[in-house]
Amino acid sequence: MQRRILLVEDEENLHEAIKMNLELENYLVTSVFNGKEAMKKFNQGRYDLVILDVMLPGVNGFDICQAIRLENKQVPILFLTAKNASHDRINGLKVGGDDYLTKPFNLEELILRSANLIKRSVMATDKSIDQYRI
């Protein structure tokens, strides 16, 4: 089963590089470049992971994360941002992020973190489904 990722990054060259590499890893990537579009796409689909920049046009990533968490507590959210101060990382985790990776970053690390977050989420979902089986 092909896993779905919502990629929210406004830096076009970086966005395209991340998208291409995730697709090479067989992920189905929906990509948007601003906060309003991110919320629209999230509400229209089902995703196994959200990769989220913080500094976005329209709505910032922290606010998007909080909005997602009001509707969905399960989907993993990985912040990918240039905001690398300690208080930013802490805030990202407080608002509901599952991981926080700062730019510049190692692409292989991003791919591995993404795979691990998806794997844990799928395993947790499978366990919760198993408890309802007779």
Side-chain angles (χ1 to χ4, degrees):
M1 177 177 173
Q2 197 173 26
R3 299 295 174 188
R4 299 173 46 107
I5 296 176
L6 177 61
L7 172 62
V8 187
E9 169 62 58
D10 65 328
E11 198 176 312
E12 193 168 340
N13 290 335
L14 179 59
H15 185 112
E16 292 306 320
I18 293 169
K19 181 179 182 198
M20 180 186 69
N21 280 278
L22 289 170
E23 289 173 342
L24 287 171
E25 295 293 324
N26 202 33
Y27 294 110
L28 181 61
V29 180
T30 300
S31 60
V32 297
F33 294 88
N34 65 64
K36 286 185 178 184
E37 191 67 20
M39 288 308 306
K40 182 179 171 185
K41 287 291 185 186
F42 185 81
N43 290 325
Q44 291 174 345
R46 184 197 59 79
Y47 298 95
D48 299 295
L49 174 66
V50 177
I51 299 176
L52 186 56
D53 190 5
V54 172
M55 296 181 290
L56 295 164
V59 182
N60 75 56
F62 293 142
D63 290 343
I64 294 167
C65 181
Q66 285 181 307
I68 288 172
R69 286 297 177 235
L70 290 174
E71 296 186 28
N72 185 318
K73 303 231 186 291
Q74 274 69 44
V75 65
I77 298 173
L78 175 110
F79 281 108
L80 181 64
T81 178
K83 294 184 74 72
N84 63 2
S86 176
H87 68 274
D88 290 319
R89 291 190 305 272
I90 290 168
N91 189 40
L93 297 172
K94 279 185 175 179
V95 297
D98 296 286
D99 203 350
Y100 197 101
L101 187 59
T102 58
K103 300 173 188 175
F105 60 92
N106 179 296
L107 188 57
E108 185 176 9
E109 181 179 4
L110 172 64
I111 302 275
L112 290 170
R113 285 177 185 249
S114 298
N116 286 339
L117 286 167
I118 290 170
K119 182 170 73 174
R120 281 190 213 112
S121 175
V122 168
M123 287 171 43
T125 301
D126 288 349
K127 283 182 184 178
S128 66
I129 290 170
D130 284 344
Q131 74 184 12
Y132 296 106
R133 291 189 180 145
I134 300 175

